[in-house]
Amino acid sequence: MRSKIFFLLIIMPFFCFAQKIKENHSTQILKCSTCHSCDVPTKENPCIKPCPREKIISIDQLPEEGPNVLTIDKFKKQTDVYEPVIFSHRLHAEMSGMGGGCKMCHHYNPPGRVIGCSDCHELTRKREDVSKPDLKGAYHRQCIDCHRLWSGKVECLNCHQLKNSKTKTDISTIVKKNGKRIHPQIITPAIVKFDTPKAAGKLVTFYHLEHTDLFSIDCSKCHKNESCSKCHAKDLVTLKAGKTLEQKHLICSNCHNTKQACSYCHLNTVKPGFNHKERTGFDIDKYHGKLKCVRCHTTKEKFTGLRGDCSSCHGIWTHENFRHKITGIALDENHSSLECTDCHQEKNYANPTCSNCHEDKSFPKFFPGNFIKKR
Amino acid sequence: MAAQTRRDFFKTSALLGTAISGISNKQIKAQSKNILSENRMGVLVDTTACIGCRKCEWACKTAHNLPTLPVEEYDDRTVFKKMRRPDDKALTVVNEYQNSTKFPINVKVQCMHCDQPACVSACIVGAFTKKENSSVIWDTNKCIGCRYCMVACPFQIPAFEYEEALKPDIKKCDFCFDLTKKGKIPACVEICPVEAITYGRREDLIKAAREKIKNYPTRYVNHIYGEYEVGGTSWMYISSKDFLQLAFPKLGRDPAPGVSEAIQHGIFAYFVPPIALYALLGGVMWLNKNRKKTESETEI
């Protein structure tokens, strides 16, 4: 009995430790060097890189997961002229869907949980670390940039109420108002067809879902700094008419050459979607259909051509690192120790040749092992 | 007999003068240099963050007991139509400059609290002092109203109460010395809603500003105004536009008192010019005396 307790006591910390690590960002797929400038960060000297880090890391939540309404009163003082702001968090989270999600405000949020402003920004203005604004400054900067962009106003009364004012909005009315979803969910459309004034090639077909899902392009790559006025401006038609040719093409021209080759996008009929075989000659439907582009085309955002042979992605296969079972044929003893090239002479490993060893056998009449169910 | 002692007096005084000035000159030089604390404070103004709410103007007036409008009146943006300068009634003002991108640029103007202040150097009665925490302050009891400080200042900050007939004062931003000496922060910094003005150790601010410019090269021009201008100032600015276009004066890196002090000190360097003058006069007298002597000798 005593030995069992002793054993448990020894084991316990390992369990606790293991659980703790699970919540920790150090177990996630992240390079330490994304945030830390030294090799061994410690609690005393975390050597955190100053923001913005090379690769902004963040997490996203659904608007419903966050708080509904917040009263921002952390730095409330007796001498204040204005009431603290009652911030409709959920509504803002709903609206942020178009512009870049939670990280629009919760910038540099390490993975794990969404952290609030006061976790990083200090409450007192007189402080040692002047590299980032204090909490009051951070809140105001965060709100004002967007509000100024779409309303053009910076006056305090746009968000704050005067202290002692008679016409006060109660927090409960705002909570009530925010009870259900206010801003409709922003759904990624599959295809968007643009009618353009171009004579030859009126129609531009934009495969939106293809760009976001298949090509793994971040929403914020195109939808950057988008404010409410993008959709809610009073006169959208005149707003669009006022754009120059260059401005109209700006979103596409980030990746596509829009100055030449107009007919690549501008057609008279609906353009068919992306087909890897047609475009590149390499059929991906057989084995690679479920993969996202970035799985093989690792150079980010620019999908440069790969060689057609397997080794350009899979490296060099040998009988040791390739489990032949995966093809549906489990090799028998005689064949499992052979080098791949003994049977597969073609670079794409398509059909094996048996004639090197066997005079009377050929594939697919005979198998070099057992035929099993393909995985 | 009397003439001879006089001549001896000149000789000895000239010699003594050279000796004394040779020693004391070094002391004068050492005094003229400011002893600047490494922990001196400063303010970094990020003009890209300023929204032109002018709350700092209100806070400044309230802190200095100057007459002011109620705080709500400061939301009025029509004042930006004309350029304003700090004066005896407003120690700091915010101006607005039109900008092609996104938002207009707002720039707060006040005393820069130079590391080598020209006003301190120019003040003949020592009414101006540079404090250890960076404040350049002014003592009403010492001032004689000569207004040399107004001429000397490269930023044209000190203002004079011309309307005050009996006891006019020099008025300028004092970096809220009354607050900072108690460990508080200046009134304008305290109130700024976006913390476009950051108060801290000057060295830390420069480091933070460099980091900002490095991280956002499209947002800022690569220049911290006040880091080196006129030998460095306590108030420093970063901006998205060239500072000359925001009505900042183009100034060199040499401290402003350098020019005037160089002339003054040059004249009295090693006491050579006065001695030369005395020597010349003495020489003329010597010659005349000799001539007179020979004349009188020939008469006899």
Side-chain angles (χ1 to χ4, degrees):
Chain A
M1 186 66 198
R2 189 179 281 174
S3 65
K4 270 183 190 169
I5 293 171
F6 190 62
F7 178 72
L8 264 174
L9 274 174
I10 289 182
I11 283 279
M12 270 273 274
F14 283 98
F15 274 108
C16 296
F17 191 60
Q19 268 185 338
K20 235 183 189 173
I21 279 224
K22 240 178 201 174
E23 293 169 19
N24 202 322
H25 62 269
S26 63
T27 53
Q28 305 194 337
I29 316 157
L30 273 174
K31 274 188 189 164
C32 304
S33 61
T34 308
C35 300
H36 300 281
S37 59
C38 55
D39 290 334
V40 190
T42 59
K43 202 176 175 188
E44 288 73 36
N45 178 29
C47 57
I48 302 264
K49 280 185 188 169
C51 303
R53 284 147 207 149
E54 288 141 55
K55 199 172 137 203
I56 291 169
I57 48 169
S58 195
I59 56 167
D60 264 324
Q61 280 189 342
L62 289 171
E64 298 79 50
E65 288 176 83
N68 184 352
V69 178
L70 293 167
T71 308
I72 301 169
D73 56 358
K74 280 223 167 81
F75 37 83
K76 199 167 141 185
K77 261 188 243 153
Q78 283 294 315
T79 49
D80 283 348
V81 186
Y82 300 101
E83 287 282 341
V85 162
I86 303 163
F87 174 62
S88 47
H89 182 276
R90 189 192 290 178
L91 175 65
H92 280 82
E94 286 170 6
M95 292 188 294
S96 76
M98 196 72 166
C102 306
K103 65 168 172 269
M104 275 180 89
C105 297
H106 296 274
H107 47 204
Y108 322 126
N109 197 115
R113 66 188 175 93
V114 177
I115 54 174
C117 308
S118 59
D119 288 345
C120 299
H121 295 277
E122 283 175 63
L123 199 59
T124 45
R125 190 150 280 192
K126 196 184 175 199
R127 61 196 190 279
E128 298 255 305
D129 179 15
V130 287
S131 63
K132 52 181 183 285
D134 74 336
L135 191 60
K136 187 178 166 185
Y139 270 123
H140 279 114
R141 284 193 196 189
Q142 197 63 265
C143 303
I144 276 172
D145 257 17
C146 289
H147 277 251
R148 201 179 185 185
L149 203 64
W150 69 267
S151 72
K153 284 177 185 161
V154 293
E155 287 74 29
C156 310
L157 287 172
N158 290 315
C159 301
H160 292 274
Q161 304 180 55
L162 263 178
K163 253 190 181 176
N164 316 319
S165 94
K166 280 166 196 162
T167 52
K168 249 189 223 171
T169 321
D170 197 30
I171 183 161
S172 58
T173 50
I174 297 176
V175 172
K176 231 180 182 177
K177 215 172 117 190
N178 267 11
K180 53 183 185 295
R181 193 175 178 103
I182 295 172
H183 196 281
Q185 199 168 2
I186 296 155
I187 300 159
T188 319
I191 304 171
V192 188
K193 290 168 196 163
F194 292 99
D195 257 327
T196 65
K198 196 173 168 68
K202 257 189 165 9
L203 207 62
V204 173
T205 323
F206 173 60
Y207 285 83
H208 194 295
L209 214 56
E210 218 167 60
H211 278 75
T212 50
D213 276 15
L214 190 62
F215 308 154
S216 310
I217 297 170
D218 268 350
C219 306
S220 57
K221 180 90 195 344
C222 304
H223 298 282
K224 48 190 160 195
N225 295 328
E226 268 174 16
S227 67
C228 311
S229 61
K230 162 98 182 172
C231 301
H232 298 287
K234 274 180 189 164
D235 200 351
L236 269 178
V237 182
T238 38
L239 198 77
K240 278 184 181 165
K243 280 184 171 177
T244 62
L245 203 64
E246 215 164 86
Q247 283 171 330
K248 278 180 189 166
H249 286 93
L250 192 66
I251 282 188
C252 302
S253 62
N254 277 333
C255 304
H256 299 277
N257 182 359
T258 53
K259 292 219 165 120
Q260 292 147 9
C262 304
S263 59
Y264 180 73
C265 300
H266 287 272
L267 295 170
N268 287 320
T269 52
V270 173
K271 192 183 159 128
F274 181 75
N275 186 328
H276 202 281
K277 195 184 178 185
E278 256 172 48
R279 280 290 295 281
T280 66
F282 183 81
D283 190 2
I284 58 163
D285 287 343
K286 214 170 174 185
Y287 300 115
H288 302 90
K290 281 180 189 165
L291 297 178
K292 288 193 172 182
C293 307
V294 285
R295 192 76 187 19
C296 304
H297 300 274
T298 47
T299 44
K300 231 194 155 190
E301 279 155 18
K302 196 120 192 166
F303 297 144
T304 44
L306 297 166
R307 279 173 290 123
D309 53 68
C310 308
S311 68
S312 62
C313 293
H314 294 281
I316 295 161
W317 277 322
T318 61
H319 69 273
E320 272 154 5
N321 68 14
F322 185 75
R323 287 174 297 128
H324 205 282
K325 264 201 297 199
I326 218 160
T327 63
I329 295 168
L331 294 178
D332 59 25
E333 256 179 56
N334 291 335
H335 290 94
S336 61
S337 57
L338 295 176
E339 280 302 322
C340 305
T341 46
D342 288 343
C343 305
H344 299 282
Q345 262 114 38
E346 285 171 58
K347 269 188 176 171
N348 62 2
Y349 298 89
N351 292 316
T353 29
C354 308
S355 56
N356 279 354
C357 308
H358 310 281
E359 276 175 21
D360 53 341
K361 282 175 185 170
S362 70
F363 186 84
K365 219 173 176 181
F366 294 92
F367 291 115
N370 295 323
F371 190 79
I372 54 165
K373 205 183 165 195
K374 205 173 175 182
R375 275 213 309 176
Chain B
M1 188 65 192
Q4 259 193 344
T5 45
R6 204 174 131 90
R7 199 160 60 231
D8 284 344
F9 169 73
F10 277 132
K11 274 182 191 166
T12 45
S13 65
L15 270 170
L16 263 173
T18 342
I20 291 164
S21 69
I23 300 157
S24 63
N25 199 46
K26 269 170 200 160
Q27 284 169 348
I28 289 168
K29 266 205 166 168
Q31 272 172 354
S32 75
K33 260 192 190 163
N34 268 303
I35 302 144
L36 292 166
S37 159
E38 266 187 20
N39 290 324
R40 65 186 185 279
M41 305 305 275
V43 168
L44 180 69
V45 186
D46 187 341
T47 58
T48 66
C50 181
I51 52 165
C53 69
R54 293 167 61 219
K55 291 284 177 292
C56 48
E57 291 184 21
W58 177 80
C60 177
K61 284 183 183 175
T62 313
H64 292 90
N65 296 319
L66 293 165
T68 169
L69 295 167
V71 69
E72 302 93 76
E73 298 289 317
Y74 282 79
D75 278 346
D76 175 25
R77 294 183 83 88
T78 52
V79 290
F80 290 136
K81 277 181 185 158
K82 67 168 196 249
M83 287 295 129
R84 298 176 302 151
R85 294 281 313 161
D87 55 28
D88 55 315
K89 287 172 195 69
L91 310 185
T92 181
V93 291
V94 179
N95 284 322
E96 186 164 279
Y97 300 87
Q98 286 313 311
N99 193 18
S100 51
T101 55
K102 237 166 141 183
F103 308 130
I105 300 171
N106 292 103
V107 180
K108 182 183 182 295
V109 191
Q110 75 297 305
C111 172
M112 301 286 278
H113 297 274
C114 307
D115 282 349
Q116 325 269 333
C119 51
V120 175
S121 162
C123 186
I124 50 176
V125 289
F128 275 95
T129 36
K130 171 88 177 167
K131 291 289 176 188
E132 202 187 340
N133 73 354
S134 271
S135 307
V136 176
I137 59 164
W138 167 88
D139 182 1
T140 179
N141 295 323
K142 286 184 185 168
C143 180
I144 53 167
C146 69
R147 285 166 280 150
Y148 277 11
C149 49
M150 296 170 70
V151 183
C153 177
F155 302 99
Q156 300 175 31
I157 292 299
F160 190 67
E161 287 182 317
Y162 286 104
E163 287 163 26
E164 207 66 39
L166 292 175
K167 212 176 171 302
D169 276 346
I170 290 284
K171 288 273 181 186
K172 77 167 203 64
C173 159
D174 60 354
F175 215 162
C176 284
F177 187 65
D178 287 341
L179 291 172
T180 53
K181 74 180 173 196
K182 284 184 220 153
K184 291 183 183 168
I185 58 173
C188 53
V189 178
E190 177 79 55
I191 202 162
C192 182
V194 289
E195 214 194 20
I197 38 182
T198 314
Y199 181 71
R201 276 182 72 231
R202 188 174 183 271
E203 279 179 15
D204 294 344
L205 291 172
I206 292 172
K207 230 167 106 187
R210 289 222 184 97
E211 203 64 53
K212 275 188 181 186
I213 293 170
K214 197 182 110 198
N215 285 339
Y216 304 98
T218 50
R219 183 168 168 173
Y220 300 106
V221 291
N222 189 9
H223 183 182
I224 306 169
Y225 191 95
E227 188 185 3
Y228 297 116
E229 271 77 9
V230 288
T233 58
S234 306
W235 279 67
M236 292 166 294
Y237 289 76
I238 46 176
S239 159
S240 58
K241 217 172 183 178
D242 186 50
F243 286 100
L244 292 181
Q245 290 175 37
L246 304 176
F248 281 84
K250 189 175 170 61
L251 297 166
R253 290 185 168 204
D254 295 330
V259 185
S260 55
E261 275 179 14
I263 297 166
Q264 286 175 348
H265 293 181
I267 289 172
F268 295 100
Y270 297 104
F271 229 67
V272 169
I275 293 162
L277 184 69
Y278 284 135
L280 186 74
L281 290 171
V284 172
M285 281 175 71
W286 176 267
L287 284 172
N288 283 345
K289 189 81 197 171
N290 277 354
R291 202 178 292 157
K292 266 184 189 168
K293 243 184 185 174
T294 45
E295 272 171 14
S296 56
E297 272 167 16
T298 46
E299 269 175 23
I300 296 166

